[in-house]
Amino acid sequence: MPVRVPDDALTRDPQRIEGMFSAIVPRYDLMNRLMTAGLDRRWRRLAAAEAALSPGDEALDACCGTGDLTLTLLRGCPGCRITGADMSEAMLVRAREKAAAWGEAGARVDFVRADLLALPFDADRFAAATVAFGVRNVPDPGAAFAELRRVVRPGGRVVCLEMTTAPPGPGRRFHALWSERVVPLLGRLIGGDAGAYSYLPASVATFPDADGLAAVMAGAGLTAVRYRRLGFGAVSLHVGVVP
């Protein structure tokens, strides 16, 4: 049975969340592969493509973690400059190590410690902004999207890859079994922290569904918001345009 997550863990307190993610850095990438059967790499490529970057553009990857999407953006646009931002310095250390392994190409990536709700960037700086599996962990998703809209120039895109509740049917039942039983077990055996991975299904249950998340993005001032479902409907890829 999954470890019960204390009710106060779902207040999404920034310090609590930062500490939880910092503690799982050593096995974070491996757990991402196992939890998604390797599909997270494809999902990140789809998110990077939706950013629609052109050579010379500068993009932001918020809540970048260990830099997987940040580097995927760079791979898709080698002539771009990418900034990865995250609250966890431990995650950023690993991200910088991965970028360094890219040699000269990796020098086109910067990683900075930053709060998604108070980004330290000028307005209209970036051609696009992405956030993968991060908005669910902040106390105010609407304010997070407002910040992303602020730092992206008019006409640019805000791309969000996130776990959301699957529609009723086999996909929801499969995902409930996977996330509530299998993922915490993997977290205990491989990740070394069953509690952190039990937080996953609990946080999804208290987060807007795909339609609700689209409404949150629109409420933050983004236009032409659309989404597609991935992963048996349990993952959503949302795209909005800065007016």
Side-chain angles (χ1 to χ4, degrees):
M1 294 292 291
V3 174
R4 181 182 181 276
V5 179
D7 291 340
D8 63 351
L10 294 180
T11 61
R12 294 175 170 84
D13 174 73
Q15 290 186 331
R16 181 185 292 274
I17 297 297
E18 178 187 356
M20 181 180 69
F21 279 97
S22 295
I24 61 176
V25 168
R27 298 285 189 226
Y28 181 75
D29 289 337
L30 175 60
M31 281 296 298
N32 281 345
R33 303 295 97 78
L34 293 174
M35 288 191 302
T36 66
L39 291 173
D40 63 302
R41 289 174 169 168
R42 176 176 178 270
W43 298 339
R44 287 184 173 88
R45 289 195 297 270
L46 293 173
E50 287 288 5
L53 298 175
S54 299
D57 282 345
E58 186 175 8
L60 170 68
D61 180 30
C63 300
C64 68
T66 60
D68 276 355
L69 180 52
T70 318
L71 294 171
T72 301
L73 288 165
L74 183 63
R75 183 179 289 113
C77 186
C80 290
R81 185 89 192 180
I82 315 296
T83 297
D86 199 278
M87 285 192 66
S88 169
E89 184 59 33
M91 287 279 184
L92 293 173
V93 168
R94 178 62 184 132
R96 294 183 186 111
E97 292 172 350
K98 290 160 73 170
W102 282 42
E104 185 176 343
R108 299 190 67 83
V109 177
D110 297 309
F111 289 103
V112 300
R113 190 170 186 271
D115 182 349
L116 178 56
L117 297 179
L119 295 170
F121 308 114
D122 292 338
D124 303 343
R125 171 173 169 176
F126 299 102
T130 61
V131 57
F133 308 114
V135 171
R136 194 181 71 258
N137 301 314
V138 302
D140 189 341
F145 282 116
E147 267 295 87
L148 293 173
R149 175 182 57 80
R150 180 185 67 81
V151 301
V152 173
R153 68 194 186 201
R157 295 183 175 184
V158 172
V159 180
C160 177
L161 181 64
E162 188 54 271
M163 298 190 68
T164 53
T165 302
R172 179 181 290 186
R173 293 192 293 271
F174 171 80
H175 185 258
L177 175 65
W178 183 260
S179 63
E180 293 176 11
R181 295 182 180 271
V182 177
V183 169
L185 177 62
L186 290 172
R188 184 172 71 251
L189 297 177
I190 297 172
D193 191 336
Y197 290 98
S198 293
Y199 165 82
L200 175 66
S203 65
V204 173
T206 58
F207 191 70
D209 62 11
D211 286 333
L213 187 56
V216 170
M217 292 176 68
L222 295 167
T223 63
V225 177
R226 56 183 169 82
Y227 70 85
R228 60 183 292 191
R229 296 186 187 275
L230 305 167
F232 300 102
V235 174
S236 297
L237 177 58
H238 285 70
V239 184
V241 178
V242 176

